Amino acid sequence: MSFLSQTLDRVKPSPTVAVTQLAAELKAAGRDVIGLGAGEPDFDTPDNIKAAAVAAIEAGKTKYTAPDGIIELKEAICAKFKRENGLDYTPKQISVSTGGKQVLYNALMATLNPGDEVIIPAPYWVSYPDMVRLGGGEPVIVEGERQLGYKITPEALEAAITPKTKWFIFNSPSNPTGAGYSHDELKAITEVLMRHEHVWVMSDDMYEHLAYDGFEFTTPAQIEPRLYDRTLTVNGVSKAYAMTGWRIGYAGGPEHLIAAMRKIQGQSTTNPSSISQWAAVEALNGPQDFLADRAEAFLRRRNLVVEMLNACKGITCETPEGAFYVYPSIADCMSTTSAGGAKIATDEDFCKALLEEEGVAVVFGAAFGLSPNFRVSYATSDEALKEACTRIARFCDGLS
């Protein structure tokens, strides 16, 4: 009898974490490595937010809190949802967790039974399918169309829904593609969901404030108010506020779902960090003007990376609407051999050889459920991005 749970056989370690760790290990060993694997802004947390954390420490706000968040943070989240999304929630409808990932995990653990299906558009964030499996459910993957920027169609969603479908996970702008659904595109998706009252919506809005070229962010319950009672609207402070290490995510949803998620959290991690919660209060209630400045910097980086990658032999890179990722296709690089002698049969082969021969760490497309591609995070300096793309071009030129 195995000592370890059989549930672990259904999941695998996070590839994005693995790539980031490998890049760090190679750097520590003296290798010249540019890491483009982590979805983490290179900007610092704003000073007013850091000051709020220090003030919380000095005021002795370092004790346990309510399992799913202090009332001050829940009120700030309610105000944010109303101000930016036109959604009305009360504090009893808010859950605060240790990062957005725990919010999603709690919701799936609280609702899934064996055999329940969860529809996930691909390319997807690497953790979605494995969290579904950990909860006992079955991920149902619907591939996005490249000519549509890797977005799914209403027809594809309709075809995937069965009587066993419990959740539809929606992420816009997307990790890993940066694709954003327009108002009309999302409206068409919600019209499908309205025809299937047993399907709940989990909307991962983590990249809400990173939108470009006039793209206007919207979220499902905002587009279709009749979905409000079966939608969990998820967000957090990690990306927009450069607070990845502070670990604060949150969600608004029906009270009975939030109560179930609270039960899961109360028997696992209890509450998020009290200090981080007070910092998040300041993040949501404090000045927001820096968000536009940082989005402008990410837009400049996006344009730089898209232009340079499209100039590489064998690479085609779409221009995404948001987030800080691009997801170039390398279909024309398959069945080749690198200058260093590596056989390139898959996107994982491509990324492994790229790291070994040029010292550029990216994440292979199969990790996100659609190949042959790779993901670049451009949440780093312009100089590092230019050098990385130069190395990628050199690598591609050496393929034969």
Side-chain angles (χ1 to χ4, degrees), residues 61 71 180:
K61 297 176 179 178
I71 187 63

Side-chain angles (χ1 to χ4, degrees), residues 225-283:
R226 290 177 296 173
L227 284 174
Y228 175 88
D229 289 333
R230 50 187 171 104
T231 297
L232 184 71
T233 304
V234 183
N235 213 313
V237 297
S238 292
K239 311 299 183 180
Y241 298 93
M243 295 175 67
T244 50
W246 298 79
R247 309 310 301 132
I248 294 292
Y250 59 82
E255 280 191 40
H256 70 284
L257 172 60
I258 298 299
M261 293 165 61
R262 184 186 310 122
K263 184 183 295 186
I264 297 289
Q265 189 155 299
Q267 294 291 7
S268 55
T269 59
T270 311
N271 60 276
S273 161
S274 60
I275 299 158
S276 295
Q277 289 187 66
W278 284 106
V281 171
E282 174 62 22

